[in-house]
Amino acid sequence: MFEIPDLKGLETLDENALKLIKSEAYPAFHKKNETIFDIGTPCTSFLWVVEGSLRVRLMNESGIEMTLYRVTPGQTCILTTSCLLSDQAYNAEAIAETDLHSIAIPQNLFKTLIATSTGFQKLVFENYSNRISGFIQEIANVAYGTLEQRVAGFLFNNVLDGEVEVTHQNIAAELGTSREVISRILKKLEDRRLVTKSHSRIKVLNPELLQRLSTNA
C-alpha cells in the first residue's frame, strides 16, 4: 500500500476507490526520452501523471512526426483510456519528455473502478472530454488554417520573456511537417520582422502581429 500524492481530481474519489487504488495501484517511473508505449503494444495500466510530462505522437513512414497531445501533472492519457475500454492495442507512441512519475492503475482495477466508482468515472471522462474538445480545435486548425498560421500560433502560445526556446525540428514535430518547411516559414516571418531566429531560440519581435497572423486567413 502506498500514499497517493495530492492530485487534481483526487477529491472526487470515494473512500472505497481510494482504498483500492492504495492497495493495488503502484508508482511508475520513466526516464526522460524513454518510450512509455508504442504502436501495437497492449495497454496494461492506466497512468495518472504525478510529476513530469509525456508526449503522445504519430510518425509516418518518412519519419515525419506530429504531436497529438501532452499529459502533465494531474492529467491522464485519453489514448490509454480508449485502449483500456475497448481492449485494443495502442495506435500511437508516447515518450517521456522529462523524468516522469505516475500512478499506474492495473487494467483490472481500472475496469472495476469505472464500473463501481462515480468519482473515478468523473475523473476519467472529464479529462477525456476536455482533451477531445482540444482535438476538435486542432483538427479545425489543420483543416482550415495554413501552416504559416499554425507556426505563428505555436510561437505566440509558447513565447516566454519575448523568446521561444525551440529548434526548427521541434516545431516540425509539433505540427507534423518537415524541418525544411518550418525553416522556410520562419525565414518569411523574419523577413517581415516578426521574429529573429537562431539554432535553438526564436525571438518574437511583434507578438501582436504574430497573434493576428495566427487567426487571420
Side-chain angles (χ1 to χ4, degrees):
M1 183 174 292
F2 74 102
E3 288 299 317
I4 303 175
D6 186 16
L7 290 170
K8 179 182 178 181
L10 195 64
E11 70 281 355
T12 68
L13 301 182
D14 57 83
E15 186 175 341
N16 186 58
L18 288 171
K19 183 178 178 181
L20 286 172
I21 292 173
K22 288 179 179 180
S23 62
E24 297 184 38
Y26 56 91
F29 299 93
H30 296 86
K31 292 293 186 182
K32 182 179 178 179
N33 296 325
E34 183 180 346
T35 298
I36 299 169
F37 57 75
D38 208 344
I39 295 174
T41 59
C43 182
T44 59
S45 62
F46 178 79
L47 292 182
W48 191 0
V49 173
V50 177
E51 292 180 312
S53 172
L54 68 87
R55 181 167 67 97
V56 180
R57 68 181 185 180
L58 287 174
M59 185 176 295
N60 67 15
E61 294 179 354
S62 300
I64 294 176
E65 63 177 285
M66 181 176 185
T67 299
L68 298 179
Y69 59 89
R70 287 177 170 79
V71 186
T72 56
Q75 296 181 333
T76 61
C77 175
I78 64 166
L79 182 57
T80 296
T81 300
S82 176
C83 291
L84 286 171
L85 292 173
S86 62
D87 291 318
Q88 293 183 350
Y90 285 108
N91 57 7
E93 179 186 19
I95 303 292
E97 285 197 304
T98 64
D99 288 346
L100 188 72
H101 172 203
S102 306
I103 297 173
I105 298 176
Q107 182 178 25
N108 288 340
L109 176 57
F110 172 83
K111 292 189 174 182
T112 296
L113 291 170
I114 281 290
T116 61
S117 172
T118 55
F120 189 74
Q121 291 171 15
K122 184 174 186 292
L123 167 72
V124 171
F125 292 117
E126 275 192 359
N127 189 274
Y128 197 93
S129 175
N130 291 337
R131 191 67 75 176
I132 290 297
S133 297
F135 268 147
I136 292 173
Q137 182 59 54
E138 184 59 31
I139 290 169
N141 291 340
V142 173
Y144 304 121
T146 66
L147 191 53
E148 185 179 75
Q149 286 177 283
R150 294 171 63 207
V151 171
F154 173 85
L155 294 175
F156 179 79
N157 290 328
N158 289 278
V159 67
L160 181 63
D161 296 328
E163 295 183 332
V164 184
E165 291 190 18
V166 67
T167 66
H168 297 192
Q169 182 58 49
N170 293 150
I171 301 175
E174 289 293 321
L175 303 182
T177 187
S178 68
R179 181 187 60 78
E180 293 77 11
V181 170
I182 293 299
S183 295
R184 287 197 295 270
I185 291 174
L186 290 174
K187 180 62 168 62
K188 291 180 181 179
L189 296 180
E190 190 172 39
D191 290 343
R192 295 167 66 177
R193 299 189 178 184
L194 296 178
V195 303
T196 58
K197 56 187 176 65
S198 63
H199 176 66
S200 59
R201 190 183 304 271
I202 297 171
K203 186 175 182 179
V204 175
L205 303 178
N206 196 323
E208 293 78 13
L209 285 180
L210 201 63
Q211 182 186 30
R212 195 179 308 165
L213 175 62
S214 73
T215 56
N216 290 342

